Amino acid sequence: MSAVWLKLVTVLCFCCIALGTETGGVLWKKPGEPVTIQCRTFSDQESLSLKKGLKEEHDVLFKEGNSAKDTIAKEFTGRLQSHGEFPNVSILIKNLTSGDTGPYWCIYTKFDPKSGQLIQMKGTGSVLLVVTDSSDSMKQCDPASNELVLVSVVISAAVLLGIIMGFFIWIIKTKSSRRTAKPRRVANNDVYEDMRGGTLRR
Ligand SMILES: *[C@@H]1O[C@H](CO)[C@@H](O)[C@H](O)[C@H]1NC(C)=O
Ligand SMILES: *[C@@H]1O[C@H](CO)[C@@H](O)[C@H](O)[C@H]1NC(C)=O
């Protein structure tokens, strides 16, 4: 049972991240294979960082304008190359390992003279890379996974509905308790008490 849940959670996570990465989507690779990440932007930019991780915490590549020099993270040296004319850069990573699995973000930076600050902007081409040996399990788009996703979506919808209903019931309860509390508060005032008593009797 817990294995099913683990798989479900994993698939869900991958789907969410896949939706989050604007255009690239999910790339499934086997260990040893290469991958090309194509960072693109329409606007004028000064530098490009390829970052890895959910929180963009790892720098993979830093490229400043059209300068030939790339700054490449240690774990990628020797197997990463960049091609193309800045800001549209194709990044080739060879000899993938399962440790390369994760989201990769194309982040462009530009100096804004008005504010005197660096402005970051995501380009297109961000991807979720999954390097795995097993070809059968957990393919994001296979029917079994889609079924799992459907089931989990239904479950979450039911849970959400429950929460919303609970919230409404809570609101109605607090409102009605406020209503019942009011007469008690004005009960000291004789005039109001009489009036209220009159309307109530009617
Ligand atoms: C970069 O790619 C975008 C989209 O493909 C294109 O609109 C733009 O003109 C390209 N920029 C350069 C400098 O080639
Ligand atoms: C790929 O990586 C493996 C393990 O790190 C290494 O043994 C192999 O020599 C590498 N192959 C190439 C072509 O770099």
Side-chain angles (χ1 to χ4, degrees):
M1 189 63 199
S2 62
V4 173
W5 278 106
L6 191 68
K7 184 174 172 178
L8 198 128
V9 167
T10 319
V11 169
L12 261 189
C13 283
F14 280 160
C15 289
C16 294
I17 299 166
L19 287 176
T21 55
E22 282 99 290
T23 54
V26 188
L27 293 177
W28 292 85
K29 297 286 175 187
K30 290 204 168 75
E33 283 185 342
V35 67
T36 304
I37 299 167
Q38 306 199 318
C39 295
R40 299 275 180 275
T41 184
F42 296 96
S43 53
D44 199 28
Q45 298 293 337
E46 276 160 19
S47 64
L48 165 68
S49 295
L50 183 70
K51 299 209 180 207
K52 183 188 167 191
L54 265 183
K55 293 175 187 160
E56 305 160 13
E57 62 266 47
H58 303 295
D59 286 298
V60 176
L61 166 77
F62 178 76
K63 197 177 173 65
E64 196 156 19
N66 258 328
S67 75
K69 222 176 110 225
D70 291 353
T71 310
I72 299 170
K74 227 190 221 159
E75 49 183 310
F76 292 97
T77 43
R79 58 192 187 103
L80 186 149
Q81 291 166 9
S82 69
H83 305 276
E85 208 163 298
F86 191 86
N88 292 342
V89 183
S90 298
I91 298 155
L92 172 70
I93 305 173
K94 289 190 283 193
N95 204 6
L96 291 171
T97 68
S98 56
D100 294 330
T101 297
Y104 289 77
W105 309 93
C106 297
I107 296 169
Y108 289 94
T109 322
K110 188 183 178 180
F111 181 75
D112 179 32
K114 261 187 226 158
S115 63
Q117 281 177 333
L118 287 172
I119 294 177
Q120 284 200 344
M121 195 198 99
K122 279 210 180 77
T124 61
S126 300
V127 293
L128 173 64
L129 176 66
V130 184
V131 184
T132 175
D133 231 346
S134 52
S135 50
D136 54 332
S137 71
M138 291 203 327
K139 282 267 174 177
Q140 193 231 352
C141 292
D142 79 359
S145 292
N146 284 347
E147 240 164 66
L148 270 180
V149 171
L150 191 70
V151 168
S152 42
V153 164
V154 169
I155 291 174
S156 353
V159 169
L160 195 66
L161 197 70
I163 292 173
I164 290 173
M165 274 173 67
F167 185 63
F168 270 106
I169 289 170
W170 177 74
I171 284 182
I172 289 167
K173 267 196 178 160
T174 47
K175 262 196 182 164
S176 60
S177 70
R178 227 181 278 153
R179 224 177 278 144
T180 51
K182 248 182 200 164
R184 226 179 290 138
R185 217 183 299 141
V186 293
N188 293 341
N189 191 321
D190 288 336
V191 179
Y192 277 105
E193 195 180 29
D194 285 344
M195 275 174 72
R196 204 165 286 272
T199 49
L200 272 179
R201 241 174 269 129
R202 234 180 274 154

